[in-house]
Amino acid sequence: MIIEGAIRPPGDKSVTHRALILAALSRTTVELRNVLTAADAKSAARVLRQLGVEVGPMQRGRPVLVHGRKWRAPEAPLNCGNSGTTARLLLGVLAGHRFEARVTGDASLRRRPMRRVTGPLTEMGATVMEDEGDCLPLTIRGGSLRRIRYESPVASAQVKTALLLAGLVGAVPVTVVEPVRSRDHTERMFQHLGFGLSVKGTEVSFTGAEGWPYAEPFELDIPGDASSSAFLVGAAILAEAGELLIESAGVNPTRVGYLSVLERMGARIVRENERILNGEPVADLVVSPSELRGTEVLADEVPGLIDEVPILAALASRACGETVFRSVGELRVKESDRLGLLASNLAAIGAFAQVYGEDLVVKGSDRPFSGRIDTARDHRLTMAFAVLGTHQAVSVQLSETGSAAISYPGFFQDLNGVVRDAK
């Protein structure tokens, strides 16, 4: 397989969610450029419309206009689809609104834990009524919030962001301390907008937002999604020849742990044209085919690459030697049991992969692989195994391909556009 050409990944999913929500709270018109138009982002736009916000059509390559205004009580449950980011960030904002809202999602989202967010929001003064256990659906009633200093037991950007958004809407100080620093898109956007926010190690403190909500219109540009870029990087590494240019990729240090891992595995990746876009670092990535060697991914690296473990594990199956992913148990509560499915699917095609407690071990091989992949409609599994299937010695049959649109609409079109048979 030969790889060649240039491609720009879709807008960053995490930044898109934050931009949509902050625009919706702004009470003015905000133009968002390079917005992700995947299913998760459209779920966020849909629930914002239910709350009285005017969100324009979301079409790839076109700006999205958001007319922020005072939120109103929804007339129907807020269905967040498959988007955990939408649900958890939304709960933070709703905590500061004096009305009742019911939040739900699809079957997958309804299995994902929510008390990591609703617990501290309750401490701040919100009322949360669960239907059953630590999951959706639930009903939240906002109110007058209290300041909080929260020491989170997990490094979670969604928890941190939910509390910072609650502090913004409730006009109260918020401090979040994490065991390891999680991705910092919210901090960067808050600082870009001029909010009072300080970061000291793993401690983030919001002190206020003078002049918010803004009266004057403004614009926000969304960088290319780091996680989506990872699949393109993987395809280039597995190629026999060629070179791929990935344009305007997000290279936020809290998001590109996967690049550090791949570089120490021997991947040939060059960053060019590094710059800052609305507080977010971006660069063009030039990636060449590479021979990889196994490595150990340490627990303190995992928060910065948790979404990239599927593609890293797929690449590790073709590396020389053993790769160990430490403390990746969080993968069990993603859109699927991503940890178990990674191991079982790799084994199903002839690779060695085993879960030991919270660790995943993958032994690389140069033998041919072939077999059927059960994606469980998990977009990151679908794309990871699709990329692995571009290798000359690998043949996979995916149980479905539609789930890729959850985070990367047009993934297969883009992938097919830059890879071709070496014959």
Side-chain angles (χ1 to χ4, degrees), residues 71-90:
W71 290 18
R72 64 173 184 240
E75 297 177 356
L78 302 172
N79 189 329
C80 300
N82 188 246
S83 179
T85 304
T86 298
R88 291 178 178 137
L89 271 56
L90 181 67

Side-chain angles (χ1 to χ4, degrees), residues 123-329:
E123 290 181 38
M124 292 183 71
T127 301
V128 176
M129 294 155 278
E130 299 175 343
D131 278 24
E132 184 178 351
D134 176 18
C135 56
L136 300 178
L138 59 79
T139 301
I140 182 168
R141 177 182 291 277
S144 179
L145 300 183
R146 300 181 288 272
R147 66 189 302 160
I148 190 173
R149 176 184 174 84
Y150 184 66
E151 297 197 8
S152 179
V154 295
S156 168
Q158 293 178 359
V159 172
K160 176 174 60 179
T161 300
L163 300 185
L164 292 173
L165 288 171
L168 174 65
V169 176
V172 295
V174 168
T175 295
V176 181
V177 184
E178 299 181 289
V180 178
R181 190 178 184 190
S182 64
R183 58 181 64 174
D184 67 351
H185 297 301
T186 305
E187 295 95 303
R188 288 176 179 271
M189 192 169 289
F190 271 32
Q191 290 171 333
H192 175 71
L193 293 174
F195 299 171
L197 185 132
S198 63
V199 180
K200 297 178 181 178
T202 62
E203 179 176 306
V204 177
S205 296
F206 169 74
T207 54
E210 187 175 350
W212 181 264
Y214 297 150
E216 296 298 320
F218 61 95
E219 303 169 349
L220 289 172
D221 288 286
I222 314 298
D225 189 90
S227 296
S228 294
S229 299
F231 298 105
L232 302 173
V233 168
I237 288 171
L238 290 177
E240 297 172 73
E243 182 179 86
L244 180 64
L245 172 63
I246 304 171
E247 299 176 324
S248 299
V251 290
N252 183 310
T254 63
R255 287 290 301 284
V256 290
Y258 81 94
L259 286 179
S260 298
V261 170
L262 288 174
E263 286 164 353
R264 72 171 181 257
M265 293 177 76
R268 298 160 59 197
I269 304 168
V270 177
R271 301 187 193 193
E272 296 181 346
N273 194 21
E274 295 188 68
R275 56 208 184 272
I276 300 296
L277 187 68
N278 296 149
E280 287 284 344
V282 300
D284 301 331
L285 304 179
V286 181
V287 191
S288 304
S290 311
E291 294 291 331
L292 300 182
R293 55 184 177 271
T295 190
E296 181 179 11
V297 180
L298 301 176
D300 62 2
E301 295 180 281
V302 170
L305 53 75
I306 190 68
D307 287 337
E308 290 72 56
V309 171
I311 185 61
L312 289 174
L315 295 173
S317 73
R318 303 307 300 181
C320 178
E322 181 179 275
T323 298
V324 181
F325 299 88
R326 301 292 185 192
S327 300
V328 288

